Amino acid sequence: MNIPLTPLRFLHYAERQYPNRTAVVCQGKRFSYEQMGKRVGQLAAALKAAGVQPGDRVAFLGVNTHRLLEAYYGVLEAKAVLLPLNIRLSATELCYIINDAGASFLFIEENFIPLVDSFRNGLKTVKRFCQLGGEPRADWLDAKNYDGFISEAEPHRLNIDTVNEDDVAEIFYTSGTSAQPKGVMLSHRNIYLHAMHVCMALGVENSSVELHTIPLFHANGWGVAHFLTALGGKHVMVPAFDPKVVFQLIQDEKANHFSVVPIMATVLVNHPDRKNYDLSSVKRIILGGAAASPTLVREVQEAFGCECFAGYGLTETSPTLSVSRMKPELDWEGEKKYAGEAMAGFAIPGVEFAIVDAEDKELPQDGVAFGEIVARGDGVMKGYWNQPQATADVMRGGWFHTGDMASIDKDGYVQIVDRKKDIIVSGGENISSLEVEKVMLSHPAVLEVAVIPVAHARWGEVPKALVVLKPSAEASEASLIEHTRGLLSHYKCPHSVVFVEALPKTGTGKVLKKDLRKQYAEHVPDATAVVRA
């Protein structure tokens, strides 16, 4: 017997086995699995009635709500492809992504209506715009909001046997290392097996309660939408990260698990009101999205009295590749334990790791040799949307090339030691230095520019720009930062600008960013110097 592997089976199973169990808690609303299943079916039916065809891309621009969670299943029930959009992107970036994906339907959170209105005339394929919540007022929006759109539809239930497990189910855009975002295609099979393997790696319990502290538009929501549904767990939606809201939800819903990027963990640990809440239900906190320190792992464990460890993955891998739980036979103690749990960790079931040199030859896993980390696994993407050459480049030799430099020790633990290319990881988000440089070069006074990461007390690292001005041209640090903030999402923009006479280069004219990083390594900006938008 061969039943197609699709995440739709998770919801169908939960509906049958746990119809009266609470599935979702969202801003005062509660839905059972039976109710969630009905709403998902209504969304699928409404999309089909609206003319959405199999394979069409359906985009969502919104925060973590029950509606976006429903889309993870309802869009697939309609045999369409879900396209969650990053709310932190600029109008230019969103317009590019929606056009590149060829989305035909766009659901929009009320707060982002003005943003979409600013670029909607540049959209080439979107036929309908539907507001997710609130009363639609603009004449270019559907007269009914999301709830009105689905309310009169009879639930549609897809025959699982008609699903091709290799079809694309979701597309997530990542800047990666190029100036233009790339659409990561995750198949039904990718998503299904990733969820199963994460369940095994984490030992997810039946009826677990998990906070959605990671945005569902980011890297497949770290898989929570799927693996938690598979076991009938309770999804507690967190629309925006607010420490007091997180504490309150943990206390009220008896949350067991959540995942955060290191900066979020730091805020929670150091929040003065933390001790005013009952957080004893928390069993596990996972750190990811940026490098975690042993100190932070220790502080989280002491503050919450729970298990805390790091994980590693990419949008292209659904995303989890490894977790840094301690293997029982290792018996780490004291500082060694915290250091181990802060590593990228060892491969979850279904994943294989290797490290290779510049010629893609495998290197020893002795904890000393380091090279590019490559991976194979069931969660590795189908490929990049409409970019066959980029897909072939990263999939060469039957392995996915992560672009991260790492070592692997004799126990199988990965330690990330550097990035192969100049990606800046700030607050868990990837920033392409090439993209920032391109925007800065559009300023009439700029001749050359190199963007590098520098340490930042709050965000881990932030962009710093080294600028060579054109002869006789003038520009200030503030004017260049303002220029980039007008064209890019603010989190991508340089926090500081240094004017230099020339940039160090190789004989072939390539900027030596390694030298620049070394030169400016001790220039650490104050954590409060720039307020992030």
Side-chain angles (χ1 to χ4, degrees):
M1 185 176 293
N2 192 347
I3 304 173
L5 304 181
T6 169
L8 291 173
R9 292 171 60 182
F10 300 148
L11 182 58
H12 294 183
Y13 173 82
E15 284 182 89
R16 289 192 300 268
Q17 300 301 326
Y18 318 112
N20 299 317
R21 184 181 286 179
T22 299
V24 192
V25 177
C26 179
Q27 296 175 304
K29 297 181 180 179
R30 310 178 80 84
F31 301 92
S32 68
Y33 269 103
E34 181 176 52
Q35 291 169 324
M36 178 181 171
K38 179 182 178 181
R39 289 177 61 86
V40 163
Q42 287 178 307
L43 173 58
L47 288 172
K48 289 170 66 69
V52 172
Q53 299 296 308
D56 281 0
R57 277 71 64 202
V58 177
F60 275 71
L61 181 64
V63 298
N64 282 0
T65 66
H66 65 91
R67 299 180 183 92
L68 183 51
L69 179 63
E70 290 160 8
Y72 262 71
Y73 294 93
V75 172
L76 275 59
E77 287 274 11
K79 280 201 168 182
V81 178
L82 177 63
L83 174 65
L85 299 168
N86 189 333
I87 63 172
R88 300 174 67 188
L89 298 180
S90 68
T92 301
E93 293 163 320
L94 288 169
C95 187
Y96 171 83
I97 289 171
I98 295 169
N99 283 334
D100 186 65
S104 62
F105 211 116
L106 176 58
F107 289 91
I108 316 160
E109 204 83 59
E110 185 175 10
N111 290 348
F112 303 114
I113 296 298
L115 174 64
V116 174
D117 193 24
S118 72
F119 67 82
R120 66 183 176 86
N121 288 332
L123 297 177
K124 302 173 182 177
T125 57
V126 177
K127 300 173 183 176
R128 293 183 65 171
F129 301 85
C130 182
Q131 189 167 311
L132 285 168
E135 188 68 27
R137 301 187 186 281
D139 57 7
W140 53 273
L141 292 166
D142 278 8
K144 296 180 179 180
N145 65 12
Y146 175 94
D147 286 343
F149 176 69
I150 72 171
S151 63
E152 297 178 2
E154 283 296 320
H156 170 73
R157 175 58 59 85
L158 183 65
N159 180 351
I160 294 298
D161 292 332
T162 68
V163 174
N164 181 343
E165 63 184 40
D166 291 321
D167 281 349
V168 179
E170 301 169 355
I171 298 178
F172 291 85
Y173 272 75
T174 176
S175 293
T177 58
S178 67
Q180 292 290 6
K182 296 192 291 290
V184 173
M185 299 185 291
L186 300 181
S187 69
H188 287 258
R189 185 178 191 275
N190 288 150
I191 295 167
Y192 182 95
L193 290 175
H194 174 266
M196 298 300 286
H197 293 150
V198 170
C199 280
M200 288 188 278
L202 300 182
V204 180
E205 300 170 355
N206 186 288
S207 74
S208 290
V209 180
E210 181 130 8
L211 298 184
H212 280 270
T213 39
I214 297 299
L216 283 167
F217 59 71
H218 182 271
N220 190 30
W222 290 17
V224 179
H226 303 118
F227 71 69
L228 192 64
T229 300
L231 292 170
K234 184 198 294 185
H235 299 264
V236 181
M237 311 310 293
V238 182
F241 180 71
D242 181 313
K244 289 187 177 182
V245 171
V246 170
F247 295 147
Q248 192 67 55
L249 287 172
I250 292 172
Q251 178 174 284
D252 293 348
E253 301 299 332
K254 307 300 180 187
N256 308 132
H257 314 123
F258 61 92
S259 300
V260 287
V261 299
I263 184 175
M264 295 163 68
T266 299
V267 170
L268 294 175
V269 165
N270 293 289
H271 199 281
D273 292 338
R274 175 175 50 81
K275 295 183 178 180
N276 297 334
Y277 297 85
D278 179 4
L279 309 178
S280 60
S281 62
V282 179
K283 298 179 180 178
R284 181 189 70 235
I285 299 173
I286 297 178
L287 304 175
S293 70
T295 299
L296 181 58
V297 170
R298 173 178 53 77
E299 289 175 345
V300 171
Q301 292 182 8
E302 291 175 350
F304 286 85
C306 71
E307 182 181 31
C308 174
F309 53 85
Y312 170 65
L314 301 92
T315 305
E316 291 93 334
T317 59
S318 294
T320 306
L321 288 172
S322 60
V323 294
S324 206
R325 260 181 167 165
M326 181 180 69
K327 295 179 180 180
E329 62 270 23
L330 295 180
D331 196 27
W332 292 333
E333 293 183 358
E335 293 305 314
K336 186 175 182 180
K337 175 177 180 293
Y338 301 131
E341 290 170 333
M343 296 173 69
F346 63 96
I348 67 171
V351 171
E352 300 173 49
F353 279 136
I355 50 173
V356 298
D357 63 15
E359 285 73 45
D360 287 345
K361 294 180 180 178
E362 190 167 348
L363 298 170
Q365 298 184 12
D366 57 8
V368 177
F370 71 89
E372 183 179 9
I373 187 163
V374 296
R376 299 199 310 168
D378 301 292
V380 174
M381 67 174 180
K382 184 181 180 76
Y384 292 119
W385 176 260
N386 286 338
Q387 295 200 40
Q389 187 56 55
T391 300
D393 289 345
V394 298
M395 296 289 203
R396 63 187 184 275
W399 293 83
F400 171 69
H401 291 248
T402 67
D404 288 319
M405 304 298 285
S407 63
I408 305 178
D409 67 22
K410 61 182 178 58
D411 297 310
Y413 283 75
V414 174
Q415 178 67 58
I416 305 296
V417 297
D418 198 0
R419 282 175 291 282
K420 186 177 181 181
K421 296 189 178 180
D422 299 307
I423 284 295
I424 300 167
V425 182
S426 184
E429 294 287 348
N430 287 347
I431 301 172
S432 167
S433 61
L434 294 177
E435 181 183 20
V436 182
E437 288 164 5
K438 181 178 179 180
V439 168
M440 295 199 74
L441 284 168
S442 69
H443 191 284
V446 175
L447 176 65
E448 291 183 296
V449 60
V451 174
I452 60 170
V454 292
H456 192 279
R458 184 176 183 188
W459 300 111
E461 58 184 27
V462 294
K464 184 183 193 72
L466 293 308
V467 172
V468 179
L469 293 177
K470 294 177 181 177
S472 302
E474 294 183 358
S476 66
E477 178 181 38
S479 68
L480 292 183
I481 292 175
E482 185 63 24
H483 175 74
T484 59
R485 287 170 72 90
L487 297 170
L488 287 175
S489 302
H490 292 182
Y491 76 91
K492 294 182 177 181
C493 299
H495 280 223
S496 57
V497 176
V498 173
F499 296 97
V500 296
E501 293 291 327
L503 297 172
K505 298 175 183 175
T506 66
T508 58
K510 184 177 181 180
V511 176
L512 289 167
K513 289 191 175 181
K514 180 180 179 181
D515 291 356
L516 292 172
R517 287 195 294 266
K518 182 177 180 181
Q519 181 180 352
Y520 291 94
E522 295 181 0
H523 291 243
V524 182
D526 182 78
T528 60
V530 176
V531 177
R532 202 172 203 154

